PDB file of all heavy atoms in Angstrom:
ATOM      1  N   THR A 496      23.263  11.694 -30.313  1.00 98.00           N
ATOM      2  CA  THR A 496      24.114  12.516 -29.463  1.00 98.00           C
ATOM      3  C   THR A 496      23.353  12.912 -28.213  1.00 98.00           C
ATOM      4  O   THR A 496      22.124  12.885 -28.196  1.00 98.00           O
ATOM      5  CB  THR A 496      24.556  13.790 -30.204  1.00 98.00           C
ATOM      6  OG1 THR A 496      23.388  14.479 -30.637  1.00 98.00           O
ATOM      7  CG2 THR A 496      25.413  13.458 -31.406  1.00 98.00           C
ATOM      8  N   PHE A 497      24.077  13.255 -27.179  1.00 98.00           N
ATOM      9  CA  PHE A 497      23.426  13.785 -25.978  1.00 98.00           C
ATOM     10  C   PHE A 497      24.390  14.607 -25.140  1.00 98.00           C
ATOM     11  O   PHE A 497      25.597  14.538 -25.314  1.00 98.00           O
ATOM     12  CB  PHE A 497      22.760  12.678 -25.160  1.00 98.00           C
ATOM     13  CG  PHE A 497      23.633  11.537 -24.728  1.00 98.00           C
ATOM     14  CD1 PHE A 497      24.193  11.515 -23.462  1.00 98.00           C
ATOM     15  CD2 PHE A 497      23.854  10.454 -25.570  1.00 98.00           C
ATOM     16  CE1 PHE A 497      24.966  10.438 -23.036  1.00 98.00           C
ATOM     17  CE2 PHE A 497      24.631   9.376 -25.154  1.00 98.00           C
ATOM     18  CZ  PHE A 497      25.189   9.371 -23.886  1.00 98.00           C
ATOM     19  N   THR A 498      23.802  15.378 -24.229  1.00 98.00           N
ATOM     20  CA  THR A 498      24.534  16.435 -23.544  1.00 98.00           C
ATOM     21  C   THR A 498      24.432  16.256 -22.037  1.00 98.00           C
ATOM     22  O   THR A 498      23.333  16.089 -21.515  1.00 98.00           O
ATOM     23  CB  THR A 498      23.942  17.804 -23.961  1.00 98.00           C
ATOM     24  OG1 THR A 498      23.931  17.850 -25.384  1.00 98.00           O
ATOM     25  CG2 THR A 498      24.752  18.954 -23.413  1.00 98.00           C
ATOM     26  N   ASN A 499      25.548  16.299 -21.358  1.00 98.00           N
ATOM     27  CA  ASN A 499      25.555  16.016 -19.916  1.00 98.00           C
ATOM     28  C   ASN A 499      25.254  17.277 -19.114  1.00 98.00           C
ATOM     29  O   ASN A 499      24.905  18.326 -19.650  1.00 98.00           O
ATOM     30  CB  ASN A 499      26.900  15.404 -19.515  1.00 98.00           C
ATOM     31  CG  ASN A 499      27.953  16.488 -19.352  1.00 98.00           C
ATOM     32  OD1 ASN A 499      27.813  17.598 -19.845  1.00 98.00           O
ATOM     33  ND2 ASN A 499      29.018  16.173 -18.636  1.00 98.00           N
ATOM     34  N   ALA A 500      25.471  17.172 -17.804  1.00 97.00           N
ATOM     35  CA  ALA A 500      25.105  18.277 -16.916  1.00 97.00           C
ATOM     36  C   ALA A 500      26.059  19.459 -17.026  1.00 97.00           C
ATOM     37  O   ALA A 500      25.738  20.531 -16.520  1.00 97.00           O
ATOM     38  CB  ALA A 500      25.037  17.790 -15.477  1.00 97.00           C
ATOM     39  N   ASP A 501      27.215  19.325 -17.631  1.00 97.00           N
ATOM     40  CA  ASP A 501      28.029  20.534 -17.818  1.00 97.00           C
ATOM     41  C   ASP A 501      28.158  20.897 -19.309  1.00 97.00           C
ATOM     42  O   ASP A 501      29.172  21.442 -19.738  1.00 97.00           O
ATOM     43  CB  ASP A 501      29.365  20.468 -17.056  1.00 97.00           C
ATOM     44  CG  ASP A 501      30.509  19.801 -17.790  1.00 97.00           C
ATOM     45  OD1 ASP A 501      30.263  18.976 -18.686  1.00 97.00           O
ATOM     46  OD2 ASP A 501      31.663  20.126 -17.457  1.00 97.00           O
ATOM     47  N   ARG A 502      27.083  20.647 -20.028  1.00 98.00           N
ATOM     48  CA  ARG A 502      26.932  21.069 -21.434  1.00 98.00           C
ATOM     49  C   ARG A 502      27.888  20.344 -22.377  1.00 98.00           C
ATOM     50  O   ARG A 502      28.144  20.805 -23.488  1.00 98.00           O
ATOM     51  CB  ARG A 502      27.130  22.595 -21.581  1.00 98.00           C
ATOM     52  CG  ARG A 502      26.055  23.436 -20.950  1.00 98.00           C
ATOM     53  CD  ARG A 502      26.358  24.931 -21.039  1.00 98.00           C
ATOM     54  NE  ARG A 502      27.323  25.334 -20.028  1.00 98.00           N
ATOM     55  CZ  ARG A 502      28.619  25.561 -20.254  1.00 98.00           C
ATOM     56  NH1 ARG A 502      29.110  25.515 -21.473  1.00 98.00           N
ATOM     57  NH2 ARG A 502      29.419  25.876 -19.262  1.00 98.00           N
ATOM     58  N   THR A 503      28.450  19.216 -21.959  1.00 98.00           N
ATOM     59  CA  THR A 503      29.339  18.462 -22.846  1.00 98.00           C
ATOM     60  C   THR A 503      28.520  17.513 -23.720  1.00 98.00           C
ATOM     61  O   THR A 503      27.769  16.677 -23.206  1.00 98.00           O
ATOM     62  CB  THR A 503      30.359  17.650 -22.028  1.00 98.00           C
ATOM     63  OG1 THR A 503      31.053  18.532 -21.158  1.00 98.00           O
ATOM     64  CG2 THR A 503      31.351  16.952 -22.947  1.00 98.00           C
ATOM     65  N   VAL A 504      28.687  17.648 -25.027  1.00 98.00           N
ATOM     66  CA  VAL A 504      27.958  16.811 -25.985  1.00 98.00           C
ATOM     67  C   VAL A 504      28.820  15.599 -26.337  1.00 98.00           C
ATOM     68  O   VAL A 504      30.022  15.743 -26.593  1.00 98.00           O
ATOM     69  CB  VAL A 504      27.658  17.604 -27.281  1.00 98.00           C
ATOM     70  CG1 VAL A 504      26.783  16.788 -28.220  1.00 98.00           C
ATOM     71  CG2 VAL A 504      27.001  18.944 -26.957  1.00 98.00           C
ATOM     72  N   HIS A 505      28.208  14.418 -26.306  1.00 98.00           N
ATOM     73  CA  HIS A 505      28.899  13.193 -26.734  1.00 98.00           C
ATOM     74  C   HIS A 505      28.113  12.518 -27.842  1.00 98.00           C
ATOM     75  O   HIS A 505      26.906  12.712 -27.962  1.00 98.00           O
ATOM     76  CB  HIS A 505      29.025  12.196 -25.571  1.00 98.00           C
ATOM     77  CG  HIS A 505      30.067  12.567 -24.559  1.00 98.00           C
ATOM     78  ND1 HIS A 505      29.755  12.860 -23.259  1.00 98.00           N
ATOM     79  CD2 HIS A 505      31.413  12.696 -24.657  1.00 98.00           C
ATOM     80  CE1 HIS A 505      30.873  13.153 -22.597  1.00 98.00           C
ATOM     81  NE2 HIS A 505      31.889  13.069 -23.429  1.00 98.00           N
ATOM     82  N   ILE A 506      28.804  11.684 -28.591  1.00 98.00           N
ATOM     83  CA  ILE A 506      28.118  10.836 -29.557  1.00 98.00           C
ATOM     84  C   ILE A 506      28.103   9.413 -29.013  1.00 98.00           C
ATOM     85  O   ILE A 506      29.044   8.989 -28.329  1.00 98.00           O
ATOM     86  CB  ILE A 506      28.785  10.889 -30.941  1.00 98.00           C
ATOM     87  CG1 ILE A 506      27.892  10.195 -31.981  1.00 98.00           C
ATOM     88  CG2 ILE A 506      30.179  10.248 -30.937  1.00 98.00           C
ATOM     89  CD1 ILE A 506      28.258  10.517 -33.420  1.00 98.00           C
ATOM     90  N   SER A 507      27.016   8.709 -29.302  1.00 98.00           N
ATOM     91  CA  SER A 507      26.945   7.292 -28.947  1.00 98.00           C
ATOM     92  C   SER A 507      26.557   6.570 -30.224  1.00 98.00           C
ATOM     93  O   SER A 507      25.473   6.781 -30.765  1.00 98.00           O
ATOM     94  CB  SER A 507      25.895   7.075 -27.861  1.00 98.00           C
ATOM     95  OG  SER A 507      25.840   5.710 -27.503  1.00 98.00           O
ATOM     96  N   GLU A 508      27.467   5.730 -30.717  1.00 98.00           N
ATOM     97  CA  GLU A 508      27.215   5.111 -32.019  1.00 98.00           C
ATOM     98  C   GLU A 508      26.712   3.690 -31.890  1.00 98.00           C
ATOM     99  O   GLU A 508      26.972   3.007 -30.892  1.00 98.00           O
ATOM    100  CB  GLU A 508      28.487   5.162 -32.858  1.00 98.00           C
ATOM    101  CG  GLU A 508      28.804   6.610 -33.214  1.00 98.00           C
ATOM    102  CD  GLU A 508      29.734   6.729 -34.387  1.00 98.00           C
ATOM    103  OE1 GLU A 508      29.251   6.764 -35.539  1.00 98.00           O
ATOM    104  OE2 GLU A 508      30.955   6.778 -34.156  1.00 98.00           O
ATOM    105  N   GLN A 509      26.033   3.276 -32.940  1.00 98.00           N
ATOM    106  CA  GLN A 509      25.495   1.917 -32.944  1.00 98.00           C
ATOM    107  C   GLN A 509      26.640   0.912 -32.920  1.00 98.00           C
ATOM    108  O   GLN A 509      27.540   0.970 -33.752  1.00 98.00           O
ATOM    109  CB  GLN A 509      24.616   1.692 -34.175  1.00 98.00           C
ATOM    110  CG  GLN A 509      24.037   0.285 -34.191  1.00 98.00           C
ATOM    111  CD  GLN A 509      22.995   0.083 -35.276  1.00 98.00           C
ATOM    112  OE1 GLN A 509      22.759   0.960 -36.106  1.00 98.00           O
ATOM    113  NE2 GLN A 509      22.375  -1.083 -35.266  1.00 98.00           N
ATOM    114  N   ALA A 510      26.580  -0.015 -31.965  1.00 98.00           N
ATOM    115  CA  ALA A 510      27.621  -1.033 -31.855  1.00 98.00           C
ATOM    116  C   ALA A 510      27.112  -2.383 -32.327  1.00 98.00           C
ATOM    117  O   ALA A 510      27.868  -3.171 -32.890  1.00 98.00           O
ATOM    118  CB  ALA A 510      28.093  -1.134 -30.400  1.00 98.00           C
ATOM    119  N   VAL A 511      25.833  -2.656 -32.061  1.00 98.00           N
ATOM    120  CA  VAL A 511      25.272  -3.974 -32.397  1.00 98.00           C
ATOM    121  C   VAL A 511      23.855  -3.788 -32.948  1.00 98.00           C
ATOM    122  O   VAL A 511      23.286  -2.701 -32.874  1.00 98.00           O
ATOM    123  CB  VAL A 511      25.221  -4.902 -31.153  1.00 98.00           C
ATOM    124  CG1 VAL A 511      26.619  -5.175 -30.630  1.00 98.00           C
ATOM    125  CG2 VAL A 511      24.342  -4.319 -30.053  1.00 98.00           C
ATOM    126  N   GLN A 512      23.291  -4.877 -33.483  1.00 98.00           N
ATOM    127  CA  GLN A 512      21.926  -4.837 -34.019  1.00 98.00           C
ATOM    128  C   GLN A 512      20.906  -4.939 -32.890  1.00 98.00           C
ATOM    129  O   GLN A 512      21.136  -5.668 -31.922  1.00 98.00           O
ATOM    130  CB  GLN A 512      21.697  -6.026 -34.960  1.00 98.00           C
ATOM    131  CG  GLN A 512      22.477  -5.949 -36.257  1.00 98.00           C
ATOM    132  CD  GLN A 512      22.111  -4.711 -37.058  1.00 98.00           C
ATOM    133  OE1 GLN A 512      20.937  -4.361 -37.174  1.00 98.00           O
ATOM    134  NE2 GLN A 512      23.121  -4.032 -37.589  1.00 98.00           N
ATOM    135  N   PRO A 513      19.773  -4.253 -33.007  1.00 98.00           N
ATOM    136  CA  PRO A 513      18.713  -4.454 -32.008  1.00 98.00           C
ATOM    137  C   PRO A 513      18.106  -5.850 -32.152  1.00 98.00           C
ATOM    138  O   PRO A 513      18.183  -6.457 -33.220  1.00 98.00           O
ATOM    139  CB  PRO A 513      17.680  -3.375 -32.356  1.00 98.00           C
ATOM    140  CG  PRO A 513      17.994  -2.917 -33.734  1.00 98.00           C
ATOM    141  CD  PRO A 513      19.430  -3.250 -34.013  1.00 98.00           C
ATOM    142  N   PRO A 514      17.509  -6.383 -31.079  1.00 98.00           N
ATOM    143  CA  PRO A 514      16.951  -7.737 -31.142  1.00 98.00           C
ATOM    144  C   PRO A 514      15.611  -7.763 -31.884  1.00 98.00           C
ATOM    145  O   PRO A 514      14.848  -6.788 -31.828  1.00 98.00           O
ATOM    146  CB  PRO A 514      16.739  -8.090 -29.666  1.00 98.00           C
ATOM    147  CG  PRO A 514      16.511  -6.771 -28.987  1.00 98.00           C
ATOM    148  CD  PRO A 514      17.345  -5.770 -29.749  1.00 98.00           C
ATOM    149  N   GLY A 515      15.345  -8.862 -32.549  1.00 98.00           N
ATOM    150  CA  GLY A 515      14.035  -9.075 -33.179  1.00 98.00           C
ATOM    151  C   GLY A 515      13.637  -7.920 -34.069  1.00 98.00           C
ATOM    152  O   GLY A 515      14.416  -7.443 -34.890  1.00 98.00           O
ATOM    153  N   MET A 516      12.398  -7.472 -33.901  1.00 98.00           N
ATOM    154  CA  MET A 516      11.872  -6.391 -34.734  1.00 98.00           C
ATOM    155  C   MET A 516      12.086  -5.012 -34.128  1.00 98.00           C
ATOM    156  O   MET A 516      11.561  -4.024 -34.631  1.00 98.00           O
ATOM    157  CB  MET A 516      10.364  -6.589 -34.919  1.00 98.00           C
ATOM    158  CG  MET A 516       9.964  -7.737 -35.797  1.00 98.00           C
ATOM    159  SD  MET A 516       8.179  -7.533 -36.092  1.00 98.00           S
ATOM    160  CE  MET A 516       7.573  -9.070 -35.496  1.00 98.00           C
TER     161      MET A 516
END
Side-chain angles (χ1 to χ4, degrees):
T496 56
F497 56 97
T498 307
N499 80 341
D501 87 336
R502 292 176 281 102
T503 305
V504 186
H505 285 116
I506 190 164
S507 181
E508 293 199 88
Q509 180 171 6
V511 297
Q512 291 300 317
M516 289 191 237

